[in-house]
Amino acid sequence: MEIQWELPGFAVNADVGMALAPGSLPSWLGGVAVGRSFGAWELLAEIHGMGVVDNSESDWIGQLGFRYELGEGSSILFAAGKSLRTHGTDATQWTSYLALQLRF
């Protein structure tokens, strides 16, 4: 589930969910992102976590990035970051993300 709030000068996005796969323990994910727009550019900061429901593993990642509006209904997204805190799993040293976002 994802919720977004538009505030004066900022957008805040929160998400939370579950992943269920045969043969695996249930896992969770969630995070909060804050964005500030400057014309076609939006600067983004995010904290995102994922882990196993039984609390045996978790990894929290901090990322900075941007979204660039290509036109109505499409954007390029980029973010890079690293682990802030882990429990029971290897830390994500560095991560990056590049995507084409299409909105219908």
Side-chain angles (χ1 to χ4, degrees):
M1 179 170 48
E2 187 173 299
I3 300 172
Q4 183 168 327
W5 298 272
E6 296 290 334
L7 305 171
F10 291 92
V12 178
N13 180 293
D15 66 341
V16 63
M18 296 283 297
L20 303 171
S24 297
L25 292 172
S27 60
W28 58 268
L29 59 93
V32 175
V34 176
R36 173 133 173 110
S37 294
F38 299 92
W41 292 89
E42 183 179 12
L43 299 178
L44 304 163
E46 176 184 29
I47 295 178
H48 183 81
M50 57 194 126
V52 177
V53 171
D54 71 0
N55 203 27
S56 62
E57 296 179 6
S58 63
D59 189 14
W60 289 91
I61 299 170
Q63 298 188 107
L64 297 175
F66 67 85
R67 176 180 5 226
Y68 180 75
E69 293 292 326
L70 297 172
E72 188 175 326
S74 63
S75 308
I76 294 284
L77 293 125
F78 174 78
K82 67 180 286 285
S83 283
L84 302 173
R85 181 182 171 136
T86 61
H87 174 75
T89 187
D90 294 331
T92 303
Q93 295 300 315
W94 288 98
T95 184
S96 61
Y97 176 86
L98 177 64
L100 173 63
Q101 181 181 44
L102 302 174
R103 297 179 301 279
F104 301 95

